[in-house]
Amino acid sequence: MSGHGNPIPMTASKSGGLKGTAHIPGDKSISHRSLILGALAVGETRITGLLEGEDVLDTARAMRAFGADITDHGDGKWSVHGVGVGGFAEPEAVIDCGNSGTGVRLIMGAMATSPITTTFTGDASLRSRPMGRITDPVSLFGARSYGRTGGRLPMTIVGADNPIPVHYRVPMPSAQVKSAVLLAGLNAPGQTVVIEQEATRDHTERMLTGFGAELNVENTKDGRVITLTGQPELRPQTITVPRDPSSAAFPVCAALIVEGSDILVPNIGLNPTRAGLFTTLRDMGADLTYENEREEGGEPTADLRVKFSPNMKGIEVPPGRAASMIDEYPILSVVASFAEGTTTMKGVKELRVKESDRIDAMARGLEACGVKIEEDEDMMIVHGMGVGGVPGGVTCESRMDHRIAMSFMCLGMATQKPVSIDDGGPIATSFPIFEPLMTELGAQIIRTTP
Ligand code: S3P
């Protein structure tokens, strides 16, 4: 829901070695998709390990408003009685997706080819984010949209009465846009084709296939071509949501920079479209190993063993890797601050339109902590100060962005003086147990009075 109540200022201070096992909550991307595809199947989908963060709970509320019957059985177990492709009812009230770009964009796609009208809104962060990237392709199916200037929320979408399938080349690397077009294509007769230049996370494709849709993926010189046959009957599934590598990134990176750390992070999905951060950290010389490598639910999975790594070196992160670690650049910029030499991140302009402008948010906060940063529209360079070299001692803005808030908290565990944030409330959108989990490992994080 919009807003997070009163701000929750927090402070992280130099921590003794992090030790123990970090059990990470379910994957946010897969949790959203489980609820939405469950709502579009006929019959009961059972989900275990659902992420019960605010973003996903907003998607569950939205799916109920479209007519799905959703039950929370406790302990991460949920069931969804779906209404079938084309079966969405018209919601009686405005759909509030809170802070979640994934939630609102996927749901817009999913309803755009049904003859219903829906108005969407979200919190101040979501209302500032571009939705034209969804309304452009859904208009090709025949949907109409009426939003604020610049394609911002609140926005009303009038779904297409007689949708036509589309052929769409996604203009930016975005799994949200790709997924919205595929979900819209579900209720269009015939074949919808989506082409992406670079591979982005492929959970929608994997799950659509699992739910019984006919979907074909071909890697061509033009890019990744995905062809979906519309109007399938989706079969309900039993889904075990893997643990989120994007959340695992925070304890992993904290352990690398906090002296004396040695932690185990079990059962982390290493889908190649998501695991770019771990490859990058290893390239920098991080003591990060994969134990017990295996396949779980069709996804490569491992337990991560992470130890304090005093000799990491800055690198140039290959731009072709950006899509596979797009949510991890904020925490990578923290690790880079403690490496020797410069870390260059190019091809990252999508960071400017996330929950906040993540280049600006990290650059300003790191600079305030004493780190030299260079940036342009599509790039950020961090001049590393080596282990123990970052002064800290300031309050950074979290800008309604969970990943910015958690990145600065991890930073403060290794800086000379404590680092504070103005508001840790947004952390609950994706990683509601961040504070107790990190504290249990030995991190010094406290809530402070404003
Ligand atoms: C997501 C896709 C990414 C990512 C977001 C989750 C998804 O966004 O940043 O946190 O679940 O599809 P873009 O597709 O806009 O890059």
Side-chain angles (χ1 to χ4, degrees):
M1 302 283 273
S2 294
H4 297 279
N6 293 330
I8 305 173
M10 291 168 59
T11 300
S13 332
K14 202 168 189 59
S15 305
L18 306 182
K19 296 268 161 77
T21 302
H23 294 289
I24 303 298
D27 188 277
K28 182 154 72 74
S29 294
I30 295 176
S31 294
H32 282 296
R33 287 160 172 81
S34 302
L35 292 169
I36 296 170
L37 287 177
L40 290 169
V42 179
E44 188 190 55
T45 287
R46 291 172 185 216
I47 308 168
T48 50
L50 189 83
L51 169 65
E52 293 174 347
E54 286 171 2
D55 280 9
V56 176
L57 298 178
D58 283 328
T59 289
R61 262 188 286 274
M63 289 301 102
R64 285 191 183 115
F66 283 101
D69 188 4
I70 301 187
T71 310
D72 171 5
H73 301 281
D75 206 21
K77 293 189 170 52
W78 290 64
S79 58
V80 183
H81 274 273
V83 293
V85 169
F88 272 178
E90 185 169 89
E92 286 177 15
V94 172
I95 298 295
D96 186 342
C97 288
N99 192 248
S100 181
T102 306
V104 77
R105 291 180 174 137
L106 267 55
I107 297 168
M108 281 177 168
M111 61 71 59
T113 46
S114 291
I116 56 174
T117 296
T118 307
T119 301
F120 295 91
T121 193
D123 69 9
S125 155
L126 192 57
R127 292 196 306 271
S128 74
R129 297 179 67 185
M131 296 299 147
R133 54 180 59 197
I134 302 298
T135 55
D136 286 351
V138 300
S139 72
L140 304 175
F141 286 96
R144 284 169 292 143
S145 56
Y146 306 90
R148 285 166 59 229
T149 315
R152 317 276 154 174
L153 302 177
M155 175 173 282
T156 297
I157 306 230
V158 181
D161 278 332
N162 291 304
I164 44 168
V166 310
H167 193 285
Y168 192 69
R169 173 179 281 278
V170 183
M172 71 289 289
S174 172
Q176 292 176 356
V177 176
K178 167 181 68 178
S179 302
V181 179
L182 289 171
L183 292 172
L186 277 177
N187 199 34
Q191 292 192 320
T192 285
V193 180
V194 187
I195 304 167
E196 57 178 1
Q197 193 94 27
E198 304 163 36
T200 61
R201 66 192 68 194
D202 62 357
H203 308 302
T204 303
E205 297 91 303
R206 287 176 188 247
M207 289 181 80
L208 277 170
T209 305
F211 273 81
E214 197 181 315
L215 181 135
N216 180 58
V217 179
E218 211 185 332
N219 290 309
T220 71
K221 63 174 187 349
D222 251 11
R224 209 167 152 263
V225 181
I226 308 156
T227 306
L228 171 75
T229 303
Q231 299 184 325
E233 180 167 314
L234 298 183
R235 291 188 300 266
Q237 297 298 298
T238 300
I239 299 169
T240 303
V241 179
R243 293 165 196 251
D244 198 325
S246 298
S247 296
F250 295 101
V252 164
C253 289
L256 293 174
I257 59 175
V258 172
E259 201 170 333
S261 298
D262 181 351
I263 64 167
L264 185 70
V265 191
N267 294 322
I268 300 303
L270 294 177
N271 178 321
T273 63
R274 293 291 297 281
L277 172 74
F278 303 132
T279 308
T280 301
L281 293 171
R282 282 156 49 125
D283 289 351
M284 293 171 78
D287 189 345
L288 163 61
T289 47
Y290 300 159
E291 297 181 354
N292 195 12
E293 285 183 65
R294 59 201 181 273
E295 279 247 325
E296 262 181 33
E299 299 270 355
T301 303
D303 304 335
L304 309 184
R305 164 73 59 187
V306 197
K307 295 184 184 159
F308 170 57
S309 300
N311 299 315
M312 287 186 287
K313 304 269 178 290
I315 61 164
E316 176 160 347
V317 182
R321 202 181 278 168
S324 69
M325 52 181 289
I326 195 65
D327 289 336
E328 282 66 75
Y329 283 99
I331 189 63
L332 176 65
S333 69
V334 169
V335 174
S337 303
F338 295 93
E340 301 286 346
T342 57
T343 296
T344 302
M345 308 169 224
K346 288 184 179 159
V348 293
K349 63 173 181 288
E350 276 293 302
L351 294 178
R352 301 246 179 229
V353 291
K354 295 293 178 189
E355 285 82 333
S356 68
D357 174 342
R358 286 181 171 163
I359 295 179
D360 190 63
M362 290 312 298
R364 302 294 79 79
L366 288 171
E367 277 170 355
C369 288
V371 183
K372 188 173 163 222
I373 304 289
E374 293 171 66
E375 64 172 293
D376 70 19
E377 184 56 23
D378 195 27
M379 182 196 73
M380 177 163 156
I381 297 176
V382 177
H383 293 263
M385 304 181 88
V387 167
V390 182
V394 296
T395 298
C396 301
E397 292 175 10
S398 57
R399 302 194 186 183
M400 302 187 78
D401 187 331
H402 52 132
R403 299 200 201 281
I404 299 301
M406 289 187 278
S407 295
F408 286 132
M409 287 295 85
C410 293
L411 177 75
M413 293 170 206
T415 44
Q416 293 158 8
K417 293 191 188 137
V419 171
S420 300
I421 48 173
D422 55 347
D423 186 11
I427 293 171
T429 61
S430 69
F431 199 163
I433 60 165
F434 174 77
E435 274 175 273
L437 182 145
M438 295 304 299
T439 306
E440 177 77 25
L441 295 175
Q444 300 292 321
I445 311 179
I446 53 164
R447 293 187 177 204
T448 36
T449 36

